Amino acid sequence: MTRVFSGIQPTGNVHLGNVLGALVPWTEDQHRADSLFCVVDLHALTRPQDPDELRATTLRLTQILLAVGLDPEVCTLFVQSHVPQHAELAWLMECTAAYGELSRMTQFKDKSGKGGFVSAGLFTYPALMASDILLYDTDLVPVGDDQRQHVELTRDLAERFNSRYGPTFTVPQATFPKAGARIMDLQDPTAKMSKSEDQAPGTILLLDEPKSIEKKIKRAVTDTESEVRFDVAAKPGVSNLLSILGAATGRTPEEAAAGYEQYGPLKADTAAAVVERLAPIQARYAELAADPGETTRLLAVGAAKATELAAATVTRAKANIGLLPR
Ligand code: TYM
């Protein structure tokens, strides 16, 4: 059976880009494949974290994943640091990756270019991500467009390791949703929507109230024309609304454009579709948040399942690279 793996960082607030670009596709993948989904708390450490906040965000994010529809009876849901093999294989990946190729990662260039403390972990981050994926003999990695380069690197590292030390890893492939792979900021539709402050007018958060969602979409930047068509280069704002409407209603952006002649109705329908898509998730999240003990129990089950698979891969990789067995 096809194996699927993906992950999300417990930092900031889950936003509409995460939901439409990754989480909703995951809920569909879990029924088509043998899937593992991971809250990647070690990745969050690449930037300094408040310990209490990190613990709370990790638990909250798990509850959000359950609320979106991941079913722990169907998929394996766990926290990265609960499975020590992630950090262990990451070292082998760091020694397989070249300094030059890690330097070329656009996400590293963006994040390190913003100033402040740049950890060594921020630089080696993609090696940890490769470890996450390769530990589980993953075939498919459902992600948003911004993770494309990291999955490409993972493929290169798997192929390099296999050719140096013999067949060890499955070479994975990234998959992207037909709409929603790149949800942009509503105020700056040339920048991707990202985790940010609570009040950012260009970001819709999963837990935003309907009124706030309506207001943000109503004020979304469009352009001075009035034609509704999907054309990312010429009409980034309108195209973003069409991507959101398409992803929220299970259509491509081009299909979503049919029938609109003005921006007003497009915005109203997009807001209504987003509110309708998020409302049941918000309601389920409120129930789950009231019972953290149950979430902790589910995570322990997930970690046990993941560890079994991960341990076998690490044993194989260590043997193939020439580490003396204990
Ligand atoms: P993260 O936590 O930034 O984002 C989680 C998922 O959400 C997608 N995403 C978006 N999709 C569409 N539009 C957007 N504006 C948008 N913003 C975020 C991301 O592409 C991602 O799929 N490095 C990863 C986490 C990770 C991982 C992995 C993913 C660690 N190990 C192994 C896959 C496999 C990250 O920081 O995602």
Side-chain angles (χ1 to χ4, degrees):
M1 199 178 184
T2 305
R3 171 70 51 77
V4 161
F5 178 94
S6 200
I8 179 167
Q9 290 196 61
T11 47
N13 292 300
V14 173
H15 57 76
L16 192 65
N18 297 132
V19 176
L20 299 180
L23 307 187
V24 167
W26 295 1
T27 63
E28 290 156 10
D29 288 328
Q30 68 180 342
H31 296 294
R32 286 197 287 258
D34 176 8
S35 340
L36 297 105
F37 300 107
C38 186
V39 176
V40 293
D41 54 349
L42 298 175
H43 277 97
L45 299 181
T46 54
R47 278 192 272 185
Q49 298 288 335
D50 175 88
D52 287 335
E53 181 65 25
L54 179 60
R55 265 185 292 273
T57 308
T58 303
L59 193 66
R60 193 168 64 225
L61 179 56
T62 307
Q63 288 161 341
I64 286 176
L65 298 182
L66 293 166
V68 173
L70 291 186
D71 179 352
E73 301 277 320
V74 176
C75 67
T76 302
L77 176 61
F78 68 104
V79 171
Q80 190 183 31
S81 66
H82 293 178
V83 180
Q85 286 81 2
H86 286 255
E88 192 176 8
L89 187 64
W91 178 250
L92 272 58
M93 290 299 113
E94 283 177 42
C95 297
T96 306
Y99 177 83
E101 65 195 343
L102 291 178
S103 312
R104 283 193 293 277
M105 294 291 116
T106 53
Q107 205 156 73
F108 173 71
K109 288 196 270 187
D110 288 352
K111 289 187 180 171
S112 61
K114 287 187 180 142
F117 175 71
V118 179
S119 69
L122 190 67
F123 182 68
T124 57
Y125 175 121
L128 177 59
M129 180 160 160
S131 161
D132 300 339
I133 296 168
L134 299 180
L135 274 176
Y136 300 101
D137 297 320
T138 302
D139 300 296
L140 301 177
V141 188
V143 280
D145 196 57
D146 62 339
Q147 298 301 318
R148 189 183 289 271
Q149 197 185 26
H150 290 156
V151 181
E152 273 305 310
L153 177 75
T154 302
R155 290 170 59 84
D156 292 344
L157 298 186
E159 281 167 358
R160 190 173 306 152
F161 195 103
N162 288 348
S163 80
R164 281 186 186 159
Y165 308 114
T168 309
F169 298 121
T170 301
V171 180
Q173 218 183 326
T175 62
F176 306 96
K178 65 178 181 176
R182 198 166 175 79
I183 300 294
M184 309 308 276
D185 188 285
L186 296 172
Q187 289 301 314
D188 175 7
T190 60
K192 71 173 181 182
M193 189 177 283
S194 59
K195 294 172 181 163
S196 58
E197 306 307 316
D198 281 2
Q199 298 306 326
T203 299
I204 293 177
L205 301 179
L206 173 61
L207 298 177
D208 271 351
E209 304 269 333
K211 269 207 175 73
S212 157
I213 295 172
E214 282 156 11
K215 196 158 106 187
K216 287 176 184 177
I217 292 183
K218 199 169 173 195
R219 294 187 182 164
V221 168
T222 48
D223 53 51
T224 51
E225 292 177 15
S226 59
E227 194 196 350
V228 175
R229 91 187 124 82
F230 187 67
D231 179 344
V232 175
K235 299 173 77 71
V238 173
S239 300
N240 191 35
L241 292 174
L242 290 170
S243 295
I244 294 172
L245 179 61
T249 54
R251 293 174 295 168
T252 64
E254 289 85 355
E255 285 163 359
Y260 290 104
E261 274 155 24
Q262 285 173 329
Y263 295 164
L266 171 65
K267 285 184 167 178
D269 288 0
T270 303
V274 170
V275 168
E276 196 180 314
R277 197 75 187 77
L278 297 187
I281 301 175
Q282 295 176 345
R284 180 83 185 107
Y285 170 75
E287 287 168 19
L288 289 159
D291 186 3
E294 174 61 6
T295 309
T296 310
R297 190 191 66 77
L298 292 172
L299 283 176
V301 174
K305 283 203 274 178
T307 303
E308 209 172 299
L309 298 169
T313 311
V314 166
T315 301
R316 187 166 74 232
K318 285 166 78 175
N320 290 359
I321 205 172
L323 295 173
L324 184 68
R326 194 161 69 163

